[in-house]
Amino acid sequence: SAPAGAPKYRVMAHFVQIYKEQVLDLLNPAASGLNAAGAFGGSGVGSTQGLKLRWSPAREFYVENLFVEEVETADAALELFQRGVRNKRVAETRMNTASSRSHCLLTLQVQQLAPDRAEHVLADGKLTLVDLAGSERQHALLDASSKAGMAESVQINKSLFTLRKVILSLSESS
């Protein structure tokens, strides 16, 4: 236990994926369109109910109704990450047996709390780890004639192209 008067820390985490331009909560798979087998299927099995991206002056940009969990240890954070990874959209391709079909963001928010008032935040920081889906090529698909597979591939490439444009724009303005 920490000495009296020592600052306290709180770590919260959330884990989302962006799949077909929808923000899905990896910690709440029930809201993300799991199929009947309890897992995400290859080319978009299950319906997706995307969460809404919002903005407010107090919170800036945030995802509405996102599960945020407090983690007290590094092991708990790793368990949360592994639980979320099990809910990611993946599909088999010729190059990879579990190819990521989405972009994922794991965010850890660390807050330093005042020792005398637990809800008074002295300092706040966020670390977001990003895993981008790889660029898709038609010949890498197992079934290159599948319309669903091709449509998914186009969506992945479209979002990677948009991200590239944003990064280029940001780098040119600095």
Side-chain angles (χ1 to χ4, degrees):
S1 104
K8 297 177 183 177
Y9 296 91
R10 175 172 51 200
V11 178
M12 279 98 52
H14 58 83
F15 199 10
V16 299
Q17 70 178 334
I18 301 171
Y19 176 70
K20 292 187 176 181
E21 307 303 317
Q22 299 282 321
V23 178
L24 306 171
D25 191 341
L26 288 170
L27 300 179
N28 182 14
S32 297
L34 283 175
N35 66 20
F40 288 111
S43 298
V45 173
S47 64
T48 55
Q49 298 294 324
L51 299 175
K52 293 183 179 177
L53 187 61
R54 301 281 190 200
W55 186 86
S56 75
R59 294 177 68 185
E60 298 182 348
F61 284 101
Y62 67 97
V63 178
E64 190 174 67
N65 297 321
L66 184 63
F67 272 31
V68 178
E69 295 188 25
E70 187 168 349
V71 290
E72 297 189 8
T73 66
D75 286 339
L78 184 58
E79 187 278 328
L80 178 138
F81 169 74
Q82 291 169 339
R83 185 167 30 109
V85 166
R86 287 191 295 270
N87 295 322
K88 281 178 57 174
R89 294 250 179 193
V90 296
E92 185 175 357
T93 66
R94 288 190 176 124
M95 297 175 64
N96 191 345
T97 58
S99 176
S100 180
R101 314 315 291 160
S102 64
H103 311 303
C104 296
L105 296 90
L106 172 68
T107 300
L108 299 172
Q109 180 176 9
V110 180
Q111 296 178 329
Q112 181 183 5
L113 306 173
D116 55 339
R117 296 183 297 167
E119 293 306 313
H120 182 70
V121 177
L122 298 174
D124 188 25
K126 285 185 184 180
L127 172 67
T128 301
L129 304 171
V130 180
D131 175 26
L132 298 174
S135 166
E136 293 293 314
R137 291 180 174 74
Q138 183 177 0
H139 73 277
L141 298 174
L142 283 179
D143 182 7
S145 64
S146 162
K147 287 184 182 181
M150 285 301 296
E152 184 180 56
S153 178
V154 167
Q155 286 288 334
I156 291 168
N157 288 337
K158 178 182 170 185
S159 63
L160 287 170
F161 179 72
T162 302
L163 178 61
R164 178 181 179 271
K165 286 175 30 180
V166 169
I167 291 170
L168 285 173
S169 178
L170 289 171
S171 66
E172 289 170 357
S173 66
S174 63

